Amino acid sequence: MTQPLADFRTAMGQFATGVTVVTTLDGDKPQGITVNALASVSLEPPLVMIALDRRRSIIPALEACGRYAVSILSEEQQWLSDCFAGANVTPGREAFCGAGWDPGKLGMPLLRGAIASIECTVLNRVEAGDHFLYVGRVDHVVLQDETAPPLLYHRRRYLRIERATTTSVAGKPESPAD
Ligand SMILES: Cc1cc2nc3c(=O)[nH]c(=O)nc-3n(C[C@H](O)[C@H](O)[C@H](O)COP(=O)(O)O)c2cc1C
């Protein structure tokens, strides 16, 4: 491509996504990384794919474990997205961001308060430029809160879904003319 890379980044920045934290176990220690490059790639069998930069520090643990979980974040969990993306916060990533979690059926760390979590076994790793694509077989799904608004990412910023709603008044109107 002869065009500047910045144009590609700007174009892809227009593609709004959700935000997830991909987790795995390093021995018995949970590890996580913020990921928006997630795609559902097949229904039968159910497969998902995540794209990780080859330099990501979670890769040795993920490959040794052969499994990962994807937790889809709610709006309330922006702090987890920041922390698992390496923000300078306390507790930090070395302390799993102080996040509450429960082991799923495969033992992968599922973040408490996430909208949904998916546990996967790595089927294959595809080399794609400076990234690795990990295709995971979906082994187990936990739906935690299907109604919570998701955290979104757009133009390299967080985006929140407008939640203004109106509801009908059950009591009597203020004046008889209303
Ligand atoms: C919203 C958001 C989405 C991200 N998505 C990805 C992704 O899909 N793949 C990836 O490799 N890094 C992604 N990152 C970057 C990593 O989370 C971040 O660089 C992390 O600190 C890498 O950790 P490491 O330096 O220990 O490897 C994303 C960051 C943010 C804030």
Side-chain angles (χ1 to χ4, degrees):
M1 193 176 73
T2 50
Q3 258 179 297
L5 215 52
D7 287 357
F8 173 54
R9 288 170 62 100
T10 303
M12 292 314 296
Q14 304 292 337
F15 186 63
T17 68
V19 182
T20 74
V21 173
V22 169
T23 54
T24 193
L25 283 180
D26 184 2
D28 57 0
K29 201 168 166 273
Q31 278 207 35
I33 179 176
T34 304
V35 165
N36 73 333
L38 164 80
S40 164
V41 292
S42 164
L43 269 182
E44 287 180 19
L47 303 176
V48 295
M49 183 221 72
I50 57 167
L52 293 182
D53 186 305
R54 291 174 184 235
R55 296 164 298 183
R56 295 301 180 230
S57 58
I58 198 169
I59 286 178
L62 190 149
E63 294 193 354
C65 179
R67 289 171 172 169
Y68 61 85
V70 179
S71 287
I72 299 169
L73 299 187
S74 77
E75 278 186 356
E76 308 295 317
Q77 295 177 306
Q78 184 177 315
W79 62 282
L80 286 174
S81 171
D82 283 332
C83 180
F84 282 110
N88 187 16
V89 292
T90 310
R93 284 176 72 192
E94 69 297 336
F96 202 59
C97 299
W101 63 279
D102 298 296
K105 269 201 177 146
L106 303 183
M108 291 301 98
L110 310 186
L111 294 185
R112 275 185 211 146
I115 292 177
S117 298
I118 300 167
E119 276 185 295
C120 305
T121 298
V122 177
L123 280 192
N124 44 31
R125 183 186 84 174
V126 179
E127 300 193 2
D130 55 8
H131 277 55
F132 290 135
L133 313 182
Y134 293 93
V135 178
R137 183 188 68 217
V138 176
D139 289 325
H140 189 229
V141 174
V142 176
L143 301 175
Q144 295 193 50
D145 183 356
E146 287 168 82
T147 60
L151 182 63
L152 301 180
Y153 189 63
H154 182 233
R155 297 182 188 155
R156 289 181 234 154
R157 294 179 66 82
Y158 295 117
L159 178 70
R160 285 162 179 271
I161 293 172
E162 185 56 66
R163 271 185 289 167
T165 56
T166 66
T167 48
S168 57
V169 178
K172 293 176 187 166
E174 277 174 47
S175 78
D178 286 335

Coordinates of all heavy atoms in Angstrom, one line a residue, residues 4-58:
P4 N -0.4 6.4 3.4 CA 0.1 6.3 4.7 C -0.7 5.3 5.6 O -1.9 5.2 5.4 CB 0.0 7.8 5.3 CG -0.7 8.5 4.2 CD -0.9 7.7 3.0
L5 N 0.1 4.7 6.5 CA -0.6 3.7 7.4 C -1.6 4.4 8.3 O -2.6 3.8 8.7 CB 0.5 3.2 8.3 CG 0.4 1.7 8.7 CD1 0.2 0.8 7.5 CD2 1.7 1.3 9.5
A6 N -1.4 5.7 8.5 CA -2.3 6.5 9.3 C -3.8 6.4 8.8 O -4.7 6.4 9.5 CB -1.9 7.9 9.5
D7 N -3.9 6.4 7.4 CA -5.2 6.4 6.8 C -5.9 5.1 7.1 O -7.1 5.0 7.3 CB -5.1 6.5 5.3 CG -4.7 7.9 4.8 OD1 -4.6 8.8 5.7 OD2 -4.5 8.2 3.6
F8 N -5.1 4.0 7.1 CA -5.7 2.6 7.4 C -6.2 2.6 8.8 O -7.3 2.2 9.2 CB -4.6 1.6 7.2 CG -5.0 0.2 7.7 CD1 -6.1 -0.4 7.2 CD2 -4.1 -0.5 8.5 CE1 -6.4 -1.7 7.7 CE2 -4.5 -1.8 9.0 CZ -5.6 -2.4 8.6
R9 N -5.3 3.2 9.7 CA -5.7 3.2 11.2 C -7.0 4.1 11.3 O -7.9 3.7 12.1 CB -4.6 3.8 12.0 CG -3.4 2.8 12.2 CD -2.2 3.5 12.8 NE -2.5 4.0 14.1 CZ -2.2 3.3 15.2 NH1 -1.6 2.2 15.2 NH2 -2.5 3.8 16.4
T10 N -7.0 5.2 10.6 CA -8.2 6.1 10.7 C -9.5 5.4 10.2 O -10.5 5.5 10.8 CB -8.0 7.4 10.0 OG1 -6.8 8.0 10.5 CG2 -9.1 8.4 10.1
A11 N -9.3 4.7 9.1 CA -10.5 4.0 8.5 C -11.0 2.9 9.5 O -12.2 2.9 9.8 CB -10.1 3.4 7.2
M12 N -10.0 2.1 10.0 CA -10.5 1.1 10.9 C -11.0 1.6 12.2 O -11.8 0.9 12.9 CB -9.3 0.1 11.1 CG -8.9 -0.7 9.9 SD -10.3 -1.4 9.0 CE -10.9 -2.6 10.2
G13 N -10.5 2.8 12.6 CA -11.0 3.4 13.8 C -12.5 3.8 13.7 O -13.2 4.0 14.7
Q14 N -13.0 3.8 12.5 CA -14.4 4.1 12.3 C -15.3 2.9 12.5 O -16.5 3.0 12.6 CB -14.7 4.6 10.9 CG -13.9 5.8 10.5 CD -14.3 7.1 11.3 OE1 -15.4 7.2 11.8 NE2 -13.4 8.0 11.3
F15 N -14.6 1.7 12.6 CA -15.4 0.5 12.8 C -15.5 0.3 14.3 O -14.6 -0.1 15.0 CB -14.5 -0.6 12.1 CG -15.2 -2.0 12.1 CD1 -16.4 -2.2 11.4 CD2 -14.7 -3.1 12.8 CE1 -17.0 -3.4 11.4 CE2 -15.3 -4.3 12.8 CZ -16.5 -4.5 12.1
A16 N -16.7 0.6 14.8 CA -17.0 0.5 16.2 C -17.0 -1.0 16.6 O -17.5 -1.9 15.9 CB -18.3 1.1 16.5
T17 N -16.4 -1.2 17.8 CA -16.4 -2.6 18.3 C -16.8 -2.6 19.8 O -16.8 -1.5 20.4 CB -15.0 -3.2 18.2 OG1 -14.1 -2.5 19.1 CG2 -14.4 -3.2 16.8
G18 N -17.0 -3.8 20.3 CA -17.1 -3.9 21.7 C -15.7 -4.0 22.3 O -14.7 -3.9 21.6
V19 N -15.6 -4.2 23.6 CA -14.3 -4.4 24.3 C -14.3 -5.6 25.1 O -15.3 -5.8 25.8 CB -13.9 -3.1 25.1 CG1 -12.5 -3.3 25.8 CG2 -14.0 -1.8 24.3
T20 N -13.3 -6.4 25.0 CA -13.2 -7.6 25.8 C -11.9 -7.7 26.6 O -11.0 -7.0 26.3 CB -13.3 -8.9 25.0 OG1 -12.0 -9.1 24.3 CG2 -14.4 -8.8 23.9
V21 N -11.9 -8.6 27.6 CA -10.6 -8.9 28.2 C -10.5 -10.4 28.0 O -11.3 -11.2 28.3 CB -10.6 -8.6 29.7 CG1 -9.3 -9.2 30.4 CG2 -10.7 -7.1 30.0
V22 N -9.3 -10.7 27.4 CA -9.0 -12.1 27.1 C -8.1 -12.6 28.3 O -7.1 -11.9 28.6 CB -8.2 -12.3 25.8 CG1 -7.6 -13.7 25.6 CG2 -9.2 -12.0 24.6
T23 N -8.5 -13.7 28.9 CA -7.8 -14.2 30.0 C -7.3 -15.6 29.8 O -7.8 -16.4 29.0 CB -8.7 -14.2 31.3 OG1 -9.9 -14.9 31.0 CG2 -9.1 -12.8 31.7
T24 N -6.3 -16.0 30.6 CA -5.8 -17.3 30.6 C -5.1 -17.6 31.9 O -5.1 -16.7 32.8 CB -4.8 -17.6 29.4 OG1 -4.6 -19.0 29.2 CG2 -3.5 -16.8 29.5
L25 N -4.6 -18.8 32.1 CA -3.8 -19.1 33.3 C -2.4 -19.3 33.0 O -2.0 -20.0 32.1 CB -4.4 -20.3 34.0 CG -5.8 -20.2 34.7 CD1 -6.2 -21.5 35.3 CD2 -5.7 -19.1 35.8
D26 N -1.5 -18.7 33.8 CA -0.1 -18.9 33.8 C 0.2 -19.8 35.0 O 0.4 -19.2 36.1 CB 0.6 -17.6 33.9 CG 2.1 -17.7 33.7 OD1 2.6 -18.8 33.5 OD2 2.8 -16.7 33.8
G27 N 0.2 -21.1 34.9 CA 0.2 -21.9 36.1 C -1.2 -21.8 36.8 O -2.2 -22.0 36.1
D28 N -1.2 -21.3 38.0 CA -2.5 -21.0 38.6 C -2.7 -19.5 38.7 O -3.7 -19.1 39.4 CB -2.5 -21.6 40.0 CG -1.4 -21.2 40.9 OD1 -0.6 -20.4 40.5 OD2 -1.3 -21.6 42.1
K29 N -1.9 -18.7 38.0 CA -2.0 -17.2 38.1 C -2.8 -16.7 36.9 O -2.5 -17.0 35.8 CB -0.6 -16.7 38.1 CG -0.5 -15.3 38.6 CD 1.0 -14.9 38.8 CE 1.1 -13.4 39.0 NZ 1.2 -12.6 37.7
P30 N -3.9 -16.0 37.2 CA -4.7 -15.4 36.1 C -4.0 -14.3 35.4 O -3.3 -13.5 36.0 CB -6.0 -14.9 36.7 CG -5.6 -14.6 38.1 CD -4.5 -15.6 38.5
Q31 N -4.1 -14.2 34.1 CA -3.5 -13.2 33.3 C -4.6 -12.6 32.3 O -5.4 -13.4 31.9 CB -2.3 -13.7 32.4 CG -1.0 -13.8 33.2 CD 0.1 -13.7 32.2 OE1 0.1 -12.9 31.2 NE2 1.2 -14.4 32.5
G32 N -4.5 -11.3 32.0 CA -5.5 -10.8 31.1 C -4.9 -9.7 30.2 O -3.9 -9.1 30.5
I33 N -5.6 -9.5 29.1 CA -5.2 -8.4 28.1 C -6.5 -7.9 27.5 O -7.4 -8.7 27.2 CB -4.3 -8.9 27.1 CG1 -3.9 -7.8 26.1 CG2 -4.8 -10.1 26.3 CD1 -2.9 -8.2 25.0
T34 N -6.6 -6.6 27.3 CA -7.7 -5.9 26.6 C -7.6 -6.2 25.1 O -6.6 -6.0 24.5 CB -7.7 -4.4 26.9 OG1 -7.7 -4.2 28.3 CG2 -8.9 -3.7 26.3
V35 N -8.7 -6.7 24.6 CA -8.8 -7.0 23.1 C -10.1 -6.6 22.5 O -11.2 -6.8 23.0 CB -8.6 -8.6 23.0 CG1 -9.0 -9.1 21.6 CG2 -7.2 -9.0 23.3
N36 N -10.0 -5.9 21.4 CA -11.2 -5.6 20.6 C -11.2 -6.3 19.3 O -12.2 -6.3 18.6 CB -11.4 -4.1 20.4 CG -10.4 -3.5 19.4 OD1 -9.3 -4.0 19.2 ND2 -10.8 -2.4 18.8
A37 N -10.1 -7.0 18.9 CA -10.0 -7.7 17.7 C -10.5 -9.1 17.9 O -9.8 -10.1 18.1 CB -8.6 -7.8 17.1
L38 N -11.8 -9.2 18.0 CA -12.5 -10.5 18.3 C -13.5 -10.7 17.2 O -14.2 -9.7 16.8 CB -13.2 -10.4 19.6 CG -14.3 -11.4 19.9 CD1 -13.7 -12.7 20.3 CD2 -15.3 -11.0 21.0
A39 N -13.7 -11.9 16.7 CA -14.7 -12.1 15.7 C -15.3 -13.5 15.9 O -14.6 -14.4 16.3 CB -14.1 -12.1 14.3
S40 N -16.6 -13.6 15.7 CA -17.3 -14.8 15.7 C -17.1 -15.4 14.3 O -17.5 -14.8 13.3 CB -18.7 -14.6 16.0 OG -19.5 -15.7 15.7
V41 N -16.4 -16.6 14.1 CA -16.1 -17.0 12.7 C -16.9 -18.2 12.3 O -16.9 -18.5 11.1 CB -14.6 -17.3 12.6 CG1 -13.8 -16.0 12.7 CG2 -14.1 -18.3 13.6
S42 N -17.5 -19.0 13.1 CA -18.3 -20.1 12.7 C -19.3 -20.4 13.8 O -19.1 -20.2 15.0 CB -17.3 -21.3 12.5 OG -18.1 -22.5 12.4
L43 N -20.5 -20.9 13.3 CA -21.6 -21.4 14.2 C -21.5 -22.9 14.4 O -21.8 -23.4 15.5 CB -22.9 -20.9 13.7 CG -23.4 -19.6 14.1 CD1 -24.8 -19.4 13.6 CD2 -23.5 -19.5 15.7
E44 N -21.3 -23.6 13.4 CA -21.2 -25.1 13.5 C -19.9 -25.6 12.9 O -19.8 -25.7 11.7 CB -22.4 -25.7 12.7 CG -23.7 -25.5 13.4 CD -24.9 -26.1 12.7 OE1 -24.7 -27.0 11.8 OE2 -26.0 -25.7 13.0
P45 N -18.9 -25.8 13.7 CA -19.0 -25.7 15.2 C -18.8 -24.2 15.6 O -18.2 -23.5 14.7 CB -17.7 -26.5 15.6 CG -16.8 -26.4 14.5 CD -17.6 -26.3 13.2
P46 N -19.1 -23.8 16.8 CA -18.9 -22.5 17.2 C -17.4 -22.2 17.4 O -16.8 -22.8 18.2 CB -19.7 -22.3 18.5 CG -20.0 -23.7 19.0 CD -19.9 -24.6 17.8
L47 N -17.0 -21.2 16.6 CA -15.5 -20.8 16.7 C -15.4 -19.3 16.8 O -16.2 -18.5 16.2 CB -14.8 -21.2 15.4 CG -14.8 -22.6 15.0 CD1 -14.1 -22.8 13.6 CD2 -14.1 -23.5 16.0
V48 N -14.5 -18.8 17.6 CA -14.2 -17.4 17.7 C -12.7 -17.2 17.4 O -11.9 -18.2 17.4 CB -14.5 -16.7 19.1 CG1 -16.0 -16.8 19.4 CG2 -13.7 -17.4 20.2
M49 N -12.4 -16.0 17.1 CA -11.0 -15.7 16.7 C -10.6 -14.4 17.5 O -11.4 -13.4 17.5 CB -10.8 -15.5 15.2 CG -9.5 -15.2 14.7 SD -9.5 -14.0 13.5 CE -9.8 -12.5 14.4
I50 N -9.4 -14.4 18.0 CA -8.8 -13.2 18.5 C -7.5 -12.9 17.8 O -6.8 -13.8 17.4 CB -8.6 -13.2 20.1 CG1 -7.7 -14.4 20.4 CG2 -9.9 -13.3 20.8 CD1 -7.2 -14.4 21.9
A51 N -7.2 -11.6 17.7 CA -5.9 -11.2 17.0 C -5.0 -10.6 18.1 O -5.4 -9.6 18.7 CB -6.2 -10.3 15.9
L52 N -3.9 -11.1 18.3 CA -2.9 -10.5 19.2 C -1.6 -10.1 18.5 O -1.1 -10.9 17.7 CB -2.6 -11.5 20.3 CG -3.7 -12.0 21.3 CD1 -3.1 -12.9 22.3 CD2 -4.3 -10.7 22.0
D53 N -1.2 -9.0 18.8 CA 0.2 -8.5 18.4 C 1.2 -9.6 18.9 O 1.1 -10.0 20.0 CB 0.4 -7.2 19.0 CG 1.7 -6.6 18.5 OD1 2.8 -7.2 18.6 OD2 1.7 -5.4 18.0
R54 N 2.1 -10.0 18.0 CA 3.1 -11.0 18.3 C 3.9 -10.7 19.6 O 4.4 -11.6 20.2 CB 4.0 -11.3 17.2 CG 3.4 -11.9 16.0 CD 4.5 -11.9 14.9 NE 3.9 -12.4 13.6 CZ 4.4 -13.4 12.9 NH1 5.4 -14.1 13.4 NH2 3.8 -13.8 11.8
R55 N 4.0 -9.4 19.9 CA 4.8 -9.0 21.1 C 4.1 -9.1 22.4 O 4.6 -8.8 23.4 CB 5.3 -7.6 20.9 CG 6.3 -7.5 19.7 CD 6.4 -6.0 19.3 NE 5.1 -5.4 18.9 CZ 5.0 -4.2 18.5 NH1 6.0 -3.4 18.4 NH2 3.8 -3.7 18.2
R56 N 2.8 -9.5 22.4 CA 2.0 -9.4 23.6 C 2.6 -10.4 24.7 O 2.8 -11.5 24.4 CB 0.5 -9.7 23.4 CG -0.2 -8.7 22.5 CD -0.1 -7.3 23.1 NE -0.8 -6.3 22.2 CZ -0.2 -5.2 21.9 NH1 1.0 -4.8 22.3 NH2 -0.9 -4.3 21.1
S57 N 2.7 -9.8 25.9 CA 3.3 -10.6 27.0 C 2.5 -11.8 27.4 O 3.0 -12.7 28.0 CB 3.6 -9.7 28.2 OG 2.4 -9.1 28.6
I58 N 1.2 -11.8 27.1 CA 0.3 -12.9 27.5 C 0.5 -14.2 26.6 O 0.1 -15.3 27.0 CB -1.2 -12.5 27.5 CG1 -2.0 -13.4 28.3 CG2 -1.7 -12.4 26.1 CD1 -3.4 -12.9 28.6

